[in-house]
């Protein structure tokens, strides 16, 4: 069904599929699983962000020992937060696409 979807729809569907592949049967991720997912699937966006205080705050919250798990909504917020602090947005502004 998504073969006919827009690029944005495909992007969100891909994010959902990746999340679901990592999530437990209840659809949640532990903090350790979330960190692993980010390091394996989101590396090009978070690369170079290691010294930014907000990045360190996010990663340190994923290192905390707690029973709290992350749901898909929190995961998307995390992706958006990491993307906004990255250099990706400036790189995208420099790219012109044709339609």
């Amino acid at each position: 069904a998504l073969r006919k979807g827009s690029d944005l729809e495909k992007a969100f569907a891909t994010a959902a599929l990746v999340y679901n592949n990592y999530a437990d049967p209840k659809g949640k991720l532990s903090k350790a699983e979330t960190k692993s997912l980010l390091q394996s699937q989101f590396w090009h966006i978070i690369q170079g962000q290691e010294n930014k205080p907000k990045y360190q705050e996010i990663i340190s919250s994923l290192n905390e020992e707690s029973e709290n798990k992350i749901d898909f909504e929190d995961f998307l917020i995390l992706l958006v937060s990491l993307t906004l602090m990255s250099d990706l947005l400036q790189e995208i502004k420099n790219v012109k696409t044709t339609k």
Side-chain angles (χ1 to χ4, degrees):
L2 280 175
R3 281 184 231 140
K4 296 179 182 179
S6 70
D7 289 344
L8 187 57
E9 290 168 324
K10 290 176 187 174
F12 272 92
T14 299
L17 288 169
V18 169
Y19 177 88
N20 285 334
N21 284 335
Y22 279 78
D24 66 19
K26 293 180 181 180
K28 303 251 181 167
L29 287 175
S30 72
K31 290 181 176 188
E33 290 165 332
T34 302
K35 187 175 178 181
S36 174
L37 188 157
L38 291 173
Q39 290 172 333
S40 68
Q41 297 289 322
F42 217 57
W43 176 244
H44 289 96
I45 299 217
I46 60 175
Q47 185 177 10
Q49 306 306 309
E50 297 87 354
N51 294 326
K52 293 183 177 179
K54 184 65 176 168
Y55 175 84
Q56 291 174 353
E57 178 184 326
I58 290 169
I59 294 304
S60 90
S61 74
L62 294 176
N63 289 333
E64 292 174 3
E65 293 295 323
S66 82
E67 297 297 319
N68 294 340
K69 291 197 170 194
I70 294 172
D71 62 16
F72 185 63
E73 181 180 334
D74 290 335
F75 178 71
L76 286 180
I77 292 168
L78 179 62
L79 292 184
V80 169
S81 297
L82 290 169
T83 302
L84 288 173
M85 79 173 75
S86 76
D87 299 327
L88 177 67
L89 295 179
Q90 187 57 46
E91 291 175 26
I92 289 170
K93 289 177 186 176
N94 295 330
V95 174
K96 302 267 184 196
T97 59
T98 57
K99 293 189 177 205

